[in-house]
Amino acid sequence: MEPAEIKNSVYRGQAADLLKELAHSDGFVQATRGKIDSSRMLDCEFVNRFIAFRLLGVERYGGNLEDFLNDAMIRLQKEDDDTLERCRKDFLKAMTYARRIFGDTAFRKLNANGRYGGINKPLYDAVSVNLAKLSEQDCLILLERKEQLLHSYTALLRDAEFLDNITNGTAKIRNVQDRHSKIYKIFQEVLADD
């Protein structure tokens, strides 16, 4: 099957329905401040990215983002209701806490002038998937320790290596793994701080 044929077949049915539902959810719209264009299904691509990294796992990413997103859709098409519900809950939890913790700066890259730019897909992937992996209780702890987390997060956004990682060669395996592990690390450091 050609990639276009795969997309045509997988963008129907339960996988496509879930993507559309989550892309239009209040949680996603609020976390992204309504800045993701839905006219060309960009909002569905954001949801697809989340589901791919959450469902398949960062460690299974092979370096071709398009193939990875398609693989996630093919798998999602075959999943049972429990898995679909888990994806739904994980996504909505991640969006809720991204908004509550990061506010208007959620998923946005810090530019050299100190201002926040537009929503950055690689940053979105790393933050949302790592929030989804946490328990509700751990998310609440991060929210409680929001100031400490934002301090570490802002420092990470100013780190030249991390910035390069979310800006250049973003689909390279090493860059994908690095950004996910660095976001995971700052979440864990804040959670471990007693």
Side-chain angles (χ1 to χ4, degrees), residues 18 55 75-76 79-89:
L18 183 63
L55 190 63
R75 171 141 171 221
L76 196 59
E79 288 292 350
D80 61 19
D81 289 344
D82 288 346
T83 303
L84 295 178
E85 186 56 29
R86 193 176 74 244
C87 287
R88 181 181 288 113
K89 281 185 173 167

Side-chain angles (χ1 to χ4, degrees), residues 77-178:
Q77 195 65 11
K78 300 171 189 166
E79 288 292 350
D80 61 19
D81 289 344
D82 288 346
T83 303
L84 295 178
E85 186 56 29
R86 193 176 74 244
C87 287
R88 181 181 288 113
K89 281 185 173 167
D90 282 353
F91 180 81
L92 294 173
K93 176 180 71 178
M95 293 304 111
T96 297
Y97 285 100
R99 182 181 51 78
R100 291 180 71 191
I101 293 167
F102 301 101
D104 286 347
T105 64
F107 318 128
R108 293 168 67 194
K109 191 167 75 169
L110 196 56
N111 292 326
N113 63 7
R115 294 183 183 200
Y116 284 91
I119 290 174
N120 177 277
K121 289 178 191 176
L123 188 57
Y124 157 87
D125 296 343
V127 170
S128 62
V129 171
N130 277 290
L131 282 172
K133 288 178 182 176
L134 297 174
S135 68
E136 188 81 29
Q137 184 180 359
D138 281 348
C139 286
L140 285 167
I141 293 169
L142 287 184
L143 183 60
E144 255 173 49
R145 299 175 183 173
K146 177 176 160 175
E147 293 310 314
Q148 182 187 348
L149 175 58
L150 291 177
H151 178 77
S152 299
Y153 181 71
T154 304
L156 183 63
L157 292 181
R158 287 195 168 109
D159 178 79
E161 188 183 323
F162 185 79
L163 187 62
D164 187 56
N165 198 297
I166 62 171
T167 308
N168 303 307
T170 59
K172 288 180 184 168
I173 295 171
R174 188 180 62 79
N175 288 354
V176 169
Q177 290 174 342
D178 272 5

Side-chain angles (χ1 to χ4, degrees), residues 7-24 41 44 47 73 76-77 84:
K7 272 214 175 355
N8 195 29
S9 65
V10 296
Y11 281 104
R12 290 195 203 116
Q14 71 177 15
D17 292 346
L18 183 63
L19 254 61
K20 288 174 194 149
E21 173 197 329
L22 296 176
H24 296 111
M41 291 185 70
C44 289
V47 177
M73 289 298 286
L76 196 59
Q77 195 65 11
L84 295 178

Side-chain angles (χ1 to χ4, degrees), residues 54-68:
R54 182 67 181 121
L55 190 63
L56 303 178
V58 177
E59 57 288 341
R60 294 240 340 258
Y61 176 70
N64 185 316
L65 186 61
E66 196 63 32
D67 287 351
F68 192 64

